[in-house]
Amino acid sequence: MLVITRRENESITIVLADGVDPDLTLRDAFRQGPIEVRVVHVSGGRVRIAVSAPPELKIWRGPYRTERCLRPDAGDAGSEPSRHAVET
């Protein structure tokens, strides 16, 4: 589970994990269960969100850009994929 704090207009993006067959069907991707997004805390202009997803998926903190798939070093600091990290 990833727990992340987002402010207004910030985002998360869920994509296929590295090494996963891009032809994977939605049925196969969700065979182990659905994606669960839960709001766990709201304070001021910040929302703390908990995300659980199948291992075939990864979660980006912030906008996803195609060049991240091609060049892993092209991401912004703080926008790397994560599965178990906690951002405060």
Side-chain angles (χ1 to χ4, degrees):
M1 176 183 296
L2 169 71
V3 178
I4 186 169
T5 300
R6 299 284 84 187
R7 292 187 174 105
E8 185 175 348
N9 293 319
E10 291 182 328
S11 65
I12 61 170
T13 303
I14 301 171
V15 298
L16 287 176
D18 296 334
V20 173
D21 180 0
D23 294 327
L24 182 73
T25 66
L26 284 175
R27 176 180 296 204
D28 290 337
F30 292 97
R31 191 169 305 278
Q32 294 184 21
I35 296 170
E36 179 183 356
V37 179
R38 182 182 310 166
V39 175
V40 294
H41 185 74
V42 178
S43 176
R46 299 169 64 130
V47 176
R48 185 163 222 147
I49 300 168
V51 182
S52 294
E56 292 80 14
L57 303 173
K58 64 182 171 184
I59 301 163
W60 286 97
R61 295 176 180 163
Y64 176 78
R65 294 188 196 91
T66 304
E67 64 267 18
R68 286 189 178 147
C69 286
L70 304 175
R71 289 184 20 233
D73 62 334
D76 299 328
S79 296
E80 68 281 350
S82 185
R83 297 267 335 135
H84 303 287
V86 176
E87 179 180 295
T88 57

